[in-house]
Amino acid sequence: MALVKIGVAAAALALALAAIRAGEAGEATLGGAAAASGRYFGAALDPDALDERPYRELAATQLTCVTPENAMKWGSVEPLRGEYDWDRADALVAFAKAHGQKVRGHTLVWHSQLPLWLINGAFSPEELRSLMVAHIAAEAGRYRGAIYAWDVVNEPFTDDGDWRNSIWHEAMGPDYVAIALKAARAADPDAKLYVNDYNVESAGPKMRALYGLVASLKRDGVPIDGVGLQSHFVAGKTPADFGAVVQKFASLGVDVAVTELDLRIRLPADDKALAAQADDYASVVRACRETPRCVGVTTWGITDDRSWVPSFFSGYGAALPFDENHRPKPAVAAIIDGFTEKAP
């Protein structure tokens, strides 16, 4: 499907609707367009919402990869020490398997959404190391062979490029990243292993810190297969050097994935803002398509009614490709075009 650069939002919306109708007829979909370029298109999903038919059908027909929004985080799967709740994570993996989709596991080691027993446990450094390795073995081991890629370590740096002051860094220093990656490789040898972070999509101290970490891991022979760029942007303000940053990380000999893309708009969203958003979605997809080692694009959610954005960014919303009524926005046609347009 060809689409000239988005101008008038109404025209783009008509093309987006046509894209969805084509998808229902077995033609152009977001996932299909990505596959045509040798990549995947995914979204973070809430397993509880899969009971809702419109949401489930969008997820089933438009995506070739899914990420658990919260269902695989430590606080969700082991709320009490030694007592596991895998139901929601299992449901997402089963959904993906039923629809031939990849799964990006998210996330094994993070400073946030940890169970209270762990945060308040007053564990020694040696105990925290053992607990971290055991958690990775339990979760990655449970889904061994079912996960395409794991965000093994999530958000290790602050915006100024310093190490984040997490319980993991306090216990083990920077070595916790290598320890986690090695544990993940032992638990699931075939899964791709990623370090994932935000505000690393433009040259700056945080981007350089992540680049330096990945370079050092590669030099030391630590298993690291990819870098995840979360990419939570404001529509109209996508970094101008985004494509160059994607290529720079890829030059380290690792895959690159856009892992949590959304483009928030100051509400109410008008035609001009939706057109700018569509242009930005296309530019991100295009940057990925133009980098051979950029393997895919995942949005953090698929419909605006389940986006995290309004709760975290006051006055902003409308950040995802489909609106709160599950209707395609101009972004849908722009993403399809970004994956499928011929190079100039």
Side-chain angles (χ1 to χ4, degrees):
M1 177 179 181
L3 174 66
V4 181
K5 184 177 180 182
I6 303 294
V8 180
L13 179 57
L15 285 166
L17 287 165
I20 299 306
R21 296 188 188 104
E24 292 169 350
E27 299 174 10
T29 62
L30 295 172
S37 74
R39 292 162 177 82
Y40 63 77
F41 184 86
L45 299 182
D46 177 0
D48 295 336
L50 294 174
D51 291 335
E52 301 170 11
R53 183 176 176 179
Y55 184 94
R56 183 176 68 251
E57 290 183 349
L58 264 187
T61 58
Q62 292 294 323
L63 308 178
T64 51
C65 185
V66 299
T67 297
E69 190 171 27
N70 293 300
M72 287 186 180
K73 291 171 181 174
W74 198 332
S76 296
V77 300
E78 194 184 5
L80 299 175
R81 188 174 185 181
E83 296 185 16
Y84 294 94
D85 182 356
W86 302 107
D87 289 352
R88 297 172 71 247
D90 285 354
L92 190 74
V93 172
F95 177 85
K97 183 177 181 180
H99 295 93
Q101 298 163 325
K102 298 177 185 290
V103 180
R104 296 196 80 261
H106 180 84
T107 173
L108 294 173
V109 179
W110 191 26
H111 66 276
S112 187
Q113 290 184 241
L114 297 171
L116 290 177
W117 66 262
L118 180 61
I119 296 171
N120 298 328
F123 296 106
S124 70
E126 293 77 13
E127 289 172 321
L128 281 171
R129 174 177 175 147
S130 295
L131 286 165
M132 184 186 79
V133 170
H135 169 71
I136 293 169
E139 184 159 17
R142 179 179 182 84
Y143 298 110
R144 180 172 178 156
I147 303 296
Y148 160 71
W150 276 106
D151 289 331
V152 178
V153 174
N154 197 47
E155 301 174 3
F157 295 109
T158 60
D159 283 347
D160 58 8
D162 288 339
W163 285 94
R164 187 178 297 278
N165 185 28
S166 67
I167 63 172
W168 314 117
H169 189 266
E170 287 180 2
M172 293 166 271
D175 290 345
Y176 87 88
V177 175
I179 294 167
L181 288 163
K182 290 174 182 177
R185 177 65 87 230
D188 189 352
D190 294 328
K192 299 285 188 179
L193 308 181
Y194 277 67
V195 177
N196 187 55
D197 215 328
Y198 66 95
N199 287 353
V200 291
E201 303 87 2
S202 183
K206 194 173 189 181
M207 176 266 168
R208 289 190 291 270
L210 182 58
Y211 181 90
L213 170 63
V214 176
S216 68
L217 293 169
K218 291 283 287 183
R219 284 195 305 269
D220 294 342
V222 176
I224 173 74
D225 301 304
V227 173
L229 310 181
Q230 291 187 15
S231 305
H232 298 293
F233 298 141
V234 177
K237 297 183 179 180
T238 298
D241 59 342
F242 177 79
V245 167
V246 172
Q247 293 178 15
K248 186 172 180 63
F249 278 115
S251 72
L252 290 170
V254 295
D255 291 342
V256 181
V258 179
T259 56
E260 304 183 20
L261 177 64
D262 47 37
L263 286 147
R264 60 189 181 271
I265 292 172
R266 171 71 71 177
L267 298 176
D270 58 18
D271 284 356
K272 182 178 179 181
L274 290 172
Q277 180 187 65
D279 285 344
D280 281 354
Y281 267 113
S283 71
V284 169
V285 167
R286 200 173 293 118
C288 182
R289 194 199 67 206
E290 291 173 353
T291 303
R293 293 206 67 156
C294 184
V295 295
V297 174
T298 294
T299 53
W300 202 246
I302 190 169
T303 58
D304 286 336
D305 58 315
R306 292 188 172 274
S307 171
W308 72 299
V309 166
S311 298
F312 284 81
F313 298 96
S314 179
Y316 284 87
L320 293 166
F322 294 86
D323 70 15
E324 63 276 7
N325 295 310
H326 301 85
R327 297 175 302 191
K329 291 153 66 176
V332 172
I335 292 167
I336 291 173
D337 190 54
F339 278 123
T340 59
E341 66 187 358
K342 293 182 179 179

